[in-house]
Amino acid sequence: PLKAETGDNCTICGAELHGKDECSVCGAKKDVEELRINRGEENLIREFTFNSFVVGECNRFSQAAATAVSKVQSSAYNPLLICSGAGLGKTHLLNAIGNYVVDSYPEKKVLYVSAEKFMNDFIDATKSNKKRGFRKKYRDLDFLLLDDIQFIGGQEAVQNEFFHTFNTLYKDGKQIVMTCDRPIREVPGIKERLVSRFEAGLITDIQFPDVETRLAILKK
């Protein structure tokens, strides 16, 4: 019969390490690095706040939803997915949530990251046998703010990893906010199990601003 893992196992072949830093079976180094998100390491764009965001009819609903999820006690919409074309403010709102949280609830762990960065971190962690540190970084959060989720389309291994990250955060009642440059079902190569989880929360969109809103943006 298979022996239960002790927790001190190689993340590559599963062999017991017996307290050693190198696996005697496959030679992989033990993943001893545990990455944590500390204050000031949230990767936020500090200029992107709710106060600097110009609200118009094109984005009012998305702005209201973003404001709602930034109030820690509410957890009204989880996950929140904001869709829009380029340059219409979805990244601004994503950072506004993070900036509000770190200023209002300094004990909360927040990370803003692009989907491309998530993907590259996962690839680097896989190559260097540091998946445990990667998972610690992304799953030990109160707010995961993931920009441009469309970039993981067609990336099967990355989607599998994000699926488990999503489930861990959601199960623990942590807030997940994502952006996408189109409706999620129009992104090629996104697995249905991810789409169904994204659609279980709230999806909002930002439309092209009218003349009045564009003038207000210019004045701002």
Side-chain angles (χ1 to χ4, degrees):
L2 294 174
K3 293 191 295 182
E5 290 189 357
T6 62
D8 186 27
N9 298 81
C10 175
T11 56
I12 299 298
C13 70
E16 289 193 34
L17 294 175
H18 302 292
K20 298 180 180 179
D21 289 339
E22 183 173 321
C23 178
S24 60
V25 177
C26 69
K29 298 289 185 181
K30 181 179 179 181
D31 180 8
V32 295
E33 180 181 4
E34 290 193 353
L35 301 175
R36 300 175 185 272
I37 304 300
N38 299 312
R39 179 71 178 184
E41 298 176 350
E42 300 90 356
N43 199 37
L44 293 164
I45 304 171
R46 293 297 286 173
E47 295 79 15
F48 286 178
T49 66
F50 286 121
N51 287 336
S52 63
F53 186 80
V54 176
V55 180
E57 291 305 314
C58 58
N59 57 30
R60 192 178 305 279
F61 183 53
S62 293
Q63 189 268 352
T67 301
V69 301
S70 68
K71 309 292 174 56
V72 169
Q73 291 83 1
S74 69
S75 295
Y77 314 113
N78 197 21
L80 172 62
L81 176 60
I82 303 172
C83 300
S84 83
L88 297 183
K90 59 186 185 295
T91 296
H92 190 138
L93 283 179
L94 205 58
N95 279 271
I97 294 169
N99 283 316
Y100 182 89
V101 173
V102 298
D103 290 340
S104 303
Y105 312 97
E107 75 281 3
K108 297 297 181 181
K109 297 176 184 175
V110 178
L111 179 64
Y112 162 75
V113 66
S114 68
E116 184 178 19
K117 171 66 173 170
F118 178 92
M119 180 168 59
N120 289 335
D121 282 355
F122 172 70
I123 293 171
D124 290 343
T126 301
K127 289 180 178 178
S128 59
N129 190 27
K130 292 182 179 179
K131 281 188 179 180
R132 187 166 61 184
F134 170 88
R135 288 166 181 161
K136 179 71 174 175
K137 173 182 178 179
Y138 281 98
R139 300 182 189 183
D140 189 26
L141 293 170
D142 297 296
F143 279 74
L144 174 59
L145 310 172
L146 193 66
D147 211 358
D148 289 322
I149 191 67
Q150 71 273 3
F151 282 118
I152 70 171
Q155 304 292 330
E156 184 171 355
V158 177
Q159 289 187 52
N160 287 338
E161 185 66 30
F162 184 65
F163 174 79
H164 294 295
T165 296
F166 183 103
N167 286 347
T168 298
L169 292 171
Y170 186 84
K171 176 177 64 69
D172 292 341
K174 309 304 184 181
Q175 182 68 50
I176 305 158
V177 187
M178 299 167 288
T179 70
C180 190
D181 68 354
R182 72 200 80 171
I184 192 63
R185 286 195 175 274
E186 294 181 8
V187 177
I190 294 284
K191 290 188 173 183
E192 178 61 31
R193 64 178 183 173
L194 280 177
V195 172
S196 65
R197 278 161 175 75
F198 297 167
E199 292 182 339
L202 178 67
I203 299 178
T204 73
D205 67 335
I206 301 176
Q207 300 296 323
F208 195 79
D210 56 25
V211 173
E212 183 179 354
T213 305
R214 278 181 276 168
L215 288 173
I217 292 170
L218 287 173
K219 291 177 181 177
K220 190 77 172 184

